Amino acid sequence: MPMCADTEPVESSNGEEIHHSDSPKSTNAKENQERNDRRADTQNSSDLDPNDETDELSLIDHEEIVARLTLKQEGEDGPEVRGGSVDILIVHATETDRKDLVLYCEAFLTTYRTFIPPEDIIKKLHHRYEKFCHCPDTFKKRVSKNTFFVLVRVVDELCLVELSDDILKLLMELVFRLVCSGELSLARVLRKNILDKVDQKRTVKYAGLMKPLAARGVAARPGTLHDFHSHEIAEQLTLLDAELFYKIEIPEVLLWAKEQNEEKSPNLTQFTEHFNNMSYWVRSIIIQQEKAQDRERLLLKFIKIMKHLRKLNNFNSYLAILSALDSAPIRRLEWQKQTSEGLAEYCTLIDSSSSFRAYRAALAEVEPPCIPYLGLILQDLTFVHLGNPDLIDGKINFSKRWQQFNILDSMRRFQQIHYELKRIDDIVTFFNDFGDHLAEEALWELSLKIKPRNIQRRKTEREEKT
């Protein structure tokens, strides 16, 4: 039986056309007939080779779709959908008019790259759309429209690095076919998405030419950190973090846990390098001070800055500075007892002995805007990736993808609400992109010069008086 049969008006015995009545009774009869037709189509498709991939892409009956999914058992925790073939997971995601599937659809769109490339899912969605787009059956037309708008979401959420020439060619072919079939409004929607992505990619490509002078290696302004208020420094650190954080595309983070490919995660890589440079910059300016009191004064300055970062919910710079102050070359030096105890209190936030319980609790209570510590997000994603199989009984393990989605969803939420901070050029220029810092070996060399190994800790003046 063909998926779409042409319908013609029936003639009466006197040659006049008989049209269906618009009464509720006839409408219900029509809907029942369409439902029966769909089940007949499903029955016929069930007689086909079950290994035929295009078979499942043709399913439209919800009960038959669900029957092909692996669902959770009664009493089990976790997502309703535990697994399924690639095609049936795609088909289930196109049931967008079902309110109970909203979260499933979001989880699918966030994680599909872990089991099917973007180019392939675009082809499959287009195949499903074309299967039903010319059907007179209203339900099938709705299936085609739902499928098309999932396709638009996929295109809209493509990473810029995924926008290859092959995908652009494929997408423009789809636009051309939509135009030829008379679907001009849909063609315009898809074409606009494609052009927006191309413009975005072009803008990013030339953004490097527009960097501020400080980011091009021009010498920073003379002065010291003490020239600026601690809360202003915290705000400027947050401003710089936010600019990079909002550029990170969610798939970059997901793919990093699996492949750790810098080319596929360029914005994440830039954000991570920024964190490391900031941390080494903090270590360097402290350890390059010749006098102990100058080192102490700077360390206390950074503790004040951290306090303001915590108020701003900027856990990224907070932990970058904390990791610097708690690094071995810095920690081993002699500090006032009060300073050491104060720093110890801050270190409880990143205590890894209890799986960062204190940090997770603090993050759970935060109201955006917020910049989370991405190192822990990447660690959690890596644990999920390594600790769960991709397939169960030959089907995609969607429970694994659900865990990945939940980890990434909080990050997505934080990206949606932005800070409103004013740039202070003097401070940003002073940072000089945090490029002026020492390497690990040089830090240890200076640390050992200040306090050689096997030398007992000298008492400070304050301790001697007590």
Side-chain angles (χ1 to χ4, degrees):
M1 176 184 292
M3 296 302 295
C4 301
D6 292 333
T7 57
E8 296 179 356
V10 180
E11 289 188 354
S12 67
S13 56
N14 61 7
E16 295 179 350
E17 291 183 353
I18 301 176
H19 295 278
H20 291 292
S21 168
D22 290 334
S23 67
K25 183 176 180 180
S26 64
T27 301
N28 290 338
K30 183 179 179 181
E31 289 178 352
N32 290 334
Q33 182 61 47
E34 289 178 353
R35 188 180 299 110
N36 291 335
D37 289 344
R38 292 197 298 273
R39 287 181 175 170
D41 290 339
T42 296
Q43 182 63 47
N44 286 347
S45 67
S46 299
D47 296 335
L48 298 174
D49 180 2
N51 296 320
D52 182 5
E53 289 188 0
T54 61
D55 176 30
E56 290 185 331
L57 290 174
S58 301
L59 296 177
I60 56 176
D61 183 72
H62 177 68
E63 293 178 6
E64 173 64 13
I65 293 168
V66 170
R68 290 173 178 252
L69 294 166
T70 301
L71 304 177
K72 74 174 181 180
Q73 300 298 315
E74 187 176 349
E76 286 184 338
D77 294 326
E80 186 70 26
V81 176
R82 291 304 179 97
S85 68
V86 173
D87 285 355
I88 205 66
L89 292 176
I90 292 173
V91 168
H92 197 42
T94 63
E95 297 186 283
T96 55
D97 46 4
R98 298 187 64 90
K99 293 181 179 179
D100 57 329
L101 295 183
V102 171
L103 276 180
Y104 167 81
C105 294
E106 291 301 319
F108 174 87
L109 289 168
T110 299
T111 62
Y112 74 81
R113 291 168 179 81
T114 61
F115 54 86
I116 181 173
E119 186 173 355
D120 290 350
I121 195 174
I122 290 171
K123 290 177 180 177
K124 286 178 180 290
L125 287 168
H126 182 250
H127 170 82
R128 180 169 170 80
Y129 165 76
E130 285 205 326
K131 190 81 176 177
F132 306 112
C133 64
H134 300 299
C135 296
D137 183 306
T138 55
F139 180 81
K140 291 176 183 175
K141 278 188 174 296
R142 193 159 76 245
V143 167
S144 72
K145 289 290 176 66
N146 290 345
T147 301
F148 178 81
F149 286 112
V150 172
L151 171 59
V152 170
R153 274 285 301 274
V154 168
V155 174
D156 188 51
E157 295 176 8
L158 284 173
C159 287
L160 297 185
V161 294
E162 293 173 330
L163 213 60
S164 64
D165 290 342
D166 288 340
I167 283 188
L168 283 175
K169 181 180 178 182
L170 171 64
L171 292 174
M172 293 313 296
E173 286 175 354
L174 298 188
V175 172
F176 179 73
R177 291 169 74 168
L178 286 169
V179 171
C180 291
S181 62
E183 297 284 0
L184 299 183
S185 61
L186 299 184
R188 278 195 294 268
V189 170
L190 186 56
R191 180 177 179 274
K192 182 180 184 304
N193 270 36
I194 297 168
L195 292 179
D196 287 346
K197 281 289 176 183
V198 171
D199 287 343
Q200 190 180 351
K201 188 172 184 178
R202 187 183 297 116
T203 301
V204 169
K205 182 178 180 180
Y206 295 107
L209 299 176
M210 304 301 292
K211 281 186 177 181
L213 292 177
R216 298 188 193 173
V218 176
R221 68 180 289 280
T224 71
L225 203 67
H226 301 294
D227 293 342
F228 310 108
H229 295 295
S230 297
H231 75 275
E232 290 179 335
I233 294 172
E235 288 178 356
Q236 296 310 295
L237 290 174
T238 301
L239 186 71
L240 295 177
D241 280 354
E243 289 175 356
L244 297 175
F245 176 63
Y246 299 140
K247 285 167 56 180
I248 299 172
E249 298 179 284
I250 295 296
E252 292 186 54
V253 186
L254 180 63
L255 293 175
W256 179 265
K258 183 179 181 180
E259 302 180 22
Q260 277 142 30
N261 186 323
E262 292 185 1
E263 291 184 0
K264 291 185 178 180
S265 306
N267 298 306
L268 176 61
T269 299
Q270 187 180 11
F271 188 79
T272 303
E273 289 176 352
H274 175 77
F275 177 96
N276 293 333
N277 287 339
M278 187 196 311
S279 184
Y280 274 92
W281 177 80
V282 172
R283 303 173 205 202
S284 300
I285 63 174
I286 291 175
I287 213 162
Q288 284 178 309
Q289 304 302 312
E290 295 182 358
K291 297 179 181 179
Q293 59 265 36
D294 291 340
R295 293 193 295 272
E296 189 97 29
R297 189 178 173 216
L298 265 176
L299 190 139
L300 290 171
K301 179 73 170 178
F302 279 117
I303 289 178
K304 287 182 181 179
I305 294 169
M306 286 169 54
K307 186 181 296 184
H308 290 288
L309 288 168
R310 180 66 184 85
K311 291 178 181 177
L312 289 164
N313 295 328
N314 181 358
F315 292 101
N316 185 69
S317 285
Y318 181 100
L319 289 170
I321 294 175
L322 187 55
S323 66
L325 303 186
D326 194 44
S327 65
I330 300 292
R331 188 177 60 247
R332 66 182 293 276
L333 300 180
E334 297 176 358
W335 304 103
Q336 297 282 356
K337 183 180 179 182
Q338 186 178 358
T339 302
S340 298
E341 289 176 350
L343 182 59
E345 291 181 15
Y346 284 90
C347 289
T348 58
L349 187 68
I350 55 169
D351 179 14
S352 59
S353 62
S354 57
S355 187
F356 296 91
R357 183 182 301 167
Y359 168 74
R360 294 182 193 276
L363 192 66
E365 296 177 358
V366 158
E367 288 295 328
C370 169
I371 303 176
Y373 172 52
L374 288 197
L376 187 57
I377 292 177
L378 294 173
Q379 177 181 299
D380 288 346
L381 286 171
T382 301
F383 283 162
V384 169
H385 172 63
L386 297 177
N388 297 273
D390 277 333
L391 303 174
I392 295 181
D393 298 330
K395 295 182 177 181
I396 301 299
N397 178 6
F398 197 75
S399 293
K400 175 178 180 175
R401 277 71 190 183
W402 183 260
Q403 293 180 63
Q404 293 168 330
F405 166 68
N406 282 327
I407 294 169
L408 291 167
D409 196 47
S410 61
M411 177 180 166
R412 190 203 307 270
R413 180 169 60 92
F414 291 139
Q415 284 186 316
Q416 290 173 346
I417 300 179
H418 292 199
Y419 288 91
E420 295 182 3
L421 298 171
K422 185 177 180 181
R423 187 183 185 93
I424 302 176
D425 288 331
D426 282 352
I427 297 178
V428 174
T429 304
F430 176 80
F431 293 153
N432 197 29
D433 212 22
F434 307 110
D436 186 18
H437 64 74
L438 301 175
E440 183 74 18
E441 297 79 5
L443 289 169
W444 269 107
E445 185 179 330
L446 283 175
S447 180
L448 292 171
K449 183 178 179 181
I450 294 169
K451 180 186 175 184
R453 294 186 190 276
N454 302 322
I455 298 296
Q456 286 189 348
R457 181 179 181 276
R458 296 190 305 272
K459 290 184 177 180
T460 63
E461 290 182 11
R462 182 178 300 177
E463 290 175 326
E464 287 175 350
K465 289 179 181 179
T466 58

